[in-house]
Every structure is written in structure tokens, then in C-alpha cells.
Amino acid sequence: MNKNKKGFTLVELMIVITVIAILATIGVMSFTRVQKQARDTKRKGDLRALYTALQAYYTENQFSYPATLGTLTPTYMPSAPTDPISAQSYAYNYGTYSYALCANTETGGASYWVVSTKNAGGYTSNTCPTAE
């Protein structure tokens, strides 16, 4: 037999392919997690912007909140925010003297990020609370 043959054995090729597949899987999983966190950060920022617009409206309109989010545009904010994944607007609830703005989150364990009259900083919750 000729011992000067150059090349890779089938076992060596299978090991290299397996290592590449494992590294690619880890990379895709990390990338997906980072994308979810980025979308949640955008949702939280949008809810804080809504909070600011609602507070400005409240101050300028005899201490009352608007009936719909559309009332805030374009005077208090350029456009109504939408979810980064779907074109659906955020869930928001108004009451006589308060509001609760909720966004579904993809990370962090809880289902919603909530910004409300009582908590401008926002908090996580398993439910979207109703306004008082």
C-alpha cells in the first residue's frame, strides 16, 4: 500500500463537522437571547415614552387622562409605539384617575412590563393590571 496518501479520514471529518455544529448552535441560541432582550428593552423604552406623554397631557388638560392613545399623537409624541415583533399596539388600560401600560416581554420570567400612574419606573408582573 502507498503510505504517502494525503487527506482526512471519515472519522476526522465527522469530528470537525460535529464541533462546527455545536458551535453554530451555541451562537444561534446566544443571538436569539440577545434579540429578545433588545426587543424587551425597546418595549420598556416605549412605555416610558408613553408615560411621559401621558403626564404632559395630564398636566395640560385639567388633570385628566386621554380616552385613547391616539389623542397623544402628534402633539405629545410623534406616533403611537408598536411592538417590535408584531404591528400590534401595546395593551393599555385607562381609568378615571389612573392608567396602566403593559407590554408582553420575552425574557425575565414575568409576562408583562408595566408602567403605571403609581409606578413610573416600571415593574414586572404576571398579569396586566387594570387602571383604578
Side-chain angles (χ1 to χ4, degrees), residues 1-5:
M1 287 195 150
N2 188 358
K3 293 189 180 195
N4 291 329
K5 286 187 177 181

Side-chain angles (χ1 to χ4, degrees), residues 61-79:
N61 291 280
Q62 290 78 40
F63 303 104
S64 65
Y65 291 109
T68 65
L69 185 60
T71 308
L72 299 173
T73 58
T75 306
Y76 299 96
M77 60 188 328
S79 62

